[in-house]
Amino acid sequence: MRFVRHFSLDEANRALREITPLLVRLREIHIAATRARERLDVLWKRLESGEPVLDDLTGVRAQIESLTREAAGLLRRLDEVGCILRDVEMGLVDFPAVVEGTEVFLCWRLGEEAIAYWHGTAEGFAGRKPLSALPGSRVH
């Protein structure tokens, strides 16, 4: 796997200031969109049973479209930063890095003060290890 950008630990930690509010908003959007989709399902059932809910359906669909557009913009911004969103609900993000010539991910999630974990590119969140376990000590 090759990435356009690799982060040093300092660069990734500095990027947290920018991406944290984006992740918080993405989480809010996810919650709102989930609720709106649930409401949409209820309205469809009501419409099928003959209730006059077409205006409500139109409003909820417009809300979902608006949330989708906003989320797409936030996801584009995260992509421009160069990090990889792994889980919206957890606010889990990976930053590609190179350690002793090998690509790894610096791993962070909302609520953590700074990046304190890493994992290999074939591992996921369950494979997180503390930075102290990073081979060598230099992240390029």
Side-chain angles (χ1 to χ4, degrees):
M1 211 177 299
R2 292 284 170 201
F3 299 94
V4 175
R5 177 173 185 191
H6 292 101
F7 290 80
S8 70
L9 182 58
D10 287 340
E11 290 169 334
N13 276 316
R14 279 194 304 272
L16 297 179
R17 287 189 292 266
E18 180 177 356
I19 70 165
T20 297
L22 303 177
L23 293 170
V24 168
R25 182 61 188 141
L26 276 170
R27 184 188 285 175
E28 293 168 351
I29 289 170
H30 176 72
I31 291 166
T34 299
R35 288 182 182 148
R37 281 190 299 272
E38 290 168 356
R39 175 88 174 119
L40 195 62
D41 289 343
V42 169
L43 288 170
W44 276 115
K45 288 176 184 164
R46 288 177 55 194
L47 182 67
E48 289 170 358
S49 69
E51 291 185 50
V53 294
L54 201 50
D55 288 343
D56 292 336
L57 270 169
T58 301
V60 173
R61 287 184 67 179
Q63 177 189 14
I64 291 170
E65 289 172 11
S66 175
L67 291 168
T68 301
R69 279 191 304 276
E70 184 180 356
L74 295 171
L75 291 169
R76 272 192 304 278
R77 185 62 200 122
L78 288 174
D79 190 51
E80 290 168 1
V81 169
C83 60
I84 302 163
L85 177 63
R86 298 295 188 188
D87 187 296
V88 172
E89 292 179 62
M90 290 176 58
L92 183 62
V93 176
D94 284 338
F95 294 88
V98 175
V99 176
E100 295 185 346
T102 302
E103 285 185 322
V104 299
F105 291 122
L106 302 174
C107 186
W108 178 83
R109 73 178 187 181
L110 278 174
E112 296 175 345
E113 288 186 34
I115 296 169
Y117 299 94
W118 72 281
H119 59 82
T121 58
E123 301 170 302
F125 180 75
R128 285 189 355 152
K129 301 169 231 12
L131 288 178
S132 61
L134 196 60
S137 59
R138 294 192 44 159
V139 178
H140 307 294

